[in-house]
Amino acid sequence: MDESLELQSEQPVRELTRKEYRQLLDRKRKRRMRRRRARLRRIRVYKSIRSLQFWTRVAMLLVVGLCIAFWARFAFVYDIPSYARDQLPGHVTAYVTVKPWWFGPPVFDLGQYVPIGGDFPAPQDPYQYLLLKLGRYGAVLEHPQFVWTSRS
């Protein structure tokens, strides 16, 4: 076995010709360029993913901010009884209004405040009874500032 190593080491190392050397340099240059292009591609993909993540976060924060703004300043009023609908313009069945206060309830189902019947007598003026039940939130019915309306 030692003899085979000696024979291999005894063979003279042939120097590369100019053409072979240029080919070797070209192969190395092409490999470097392929690696560089792959690295740039990976960097571009990483940047686009980061950008996508950034804009997704921005969009989510915007949606959350809009939800908080809606909850803070606007109210959705629906299921309006007929006697209260007469006080509103043009057969409005539901609407979004600006609340005169901040951070109150964002949704008002006026059907909940209507007396269904039972042991107590019916109120003389159901509209006044509705306002009484709404309490300080009666402004959404008395003085609405319409942002959006749904008409029947």
Side-chain angles (χ1 to χ4, degrees):
M1 186 168 196
D2 292 328
E3 294 175 15
S4 64
L5 286 175
E6 288 177 15
L7 288 176
Q8 286 178 357
S9 62
E10 288 178 10
Q11 293 178 352
V13 177
R14 183 176 70 87
E15 290 193 18
L16 297 175
T17 64
R18 184 181 184 126
K19 184 177 182 181
E20 291 171 337
Y21 182 69
R22 290 300 305 156
Q23 288 173 347
L24 179 68
L25 287 179
D26 283 344
R27 274 186 264 141
K28 285 182 179 181
R29 184 178 47 81
K30 285 179 185 177
R31 187 179 320 124
R32 258 193 331 265
M33 290 304 289
R34 269 195 311 269
R35 288 178 181 169
R36 182 172 187 265
R37 280 192 297 264
R39 185 174 60 249
L40 289 175
R41 232 183 347 261
R42 280 192 308 269
I43 290 171
R44 261 188 249 118
V45 166
Y46 178 68
K47 282 183 179 179
S48 67
I49 288 172
R50 282 186 54 196
S51 177
L52 183 64
Q53 288 172 346
F54 171 77
W55 288 111
T56 302
R57 287 184 192 134
V58 167
M60 292 302 294
L61 285 175
L62 186 64
V63 166
V64 168
L66 288 174
C67 289
I68 290 173
F70 182 82
W71 171 62
R73 200 63 182 142
F74 298 98
F76 178 62
V77 181
Y78 68 100
D79 198 13
I80 305 168
S82 59
Y83 54 84
R85 207 176 295 145
D86 295 338
Q87 308 290 330
L88 299 173
H91 303 292
V92 174
T93 58
Y95 58 90
V96 173
T97 183
V98 178
K99 297 184 285 192
W101 65 88
W102 284 85
F103 296 105
V107 178
F108 290 92
D109 179 6
L110 297 183
Q112 288 181 329
Y113 299 100
V114 176
I116 300 173
D119 297 337
F120 59 92
Q124 295 295 327
D125 186 7
Y127 184 72
Q128 287 301 319
Y129 179 77
L130 178 62
L131 290 176
L132 178 70
K133 292 292 276 185
L134 281 171
R136 70 183 190 123
Y137 301 126
V140 295
L141 190 60
E142 285 181 307
H143 310 290
Q145 295 176 5
F146 296 112
V147 175
W148 172 84
T149 59
S150 171
R151 299 176 188 272
S152 60

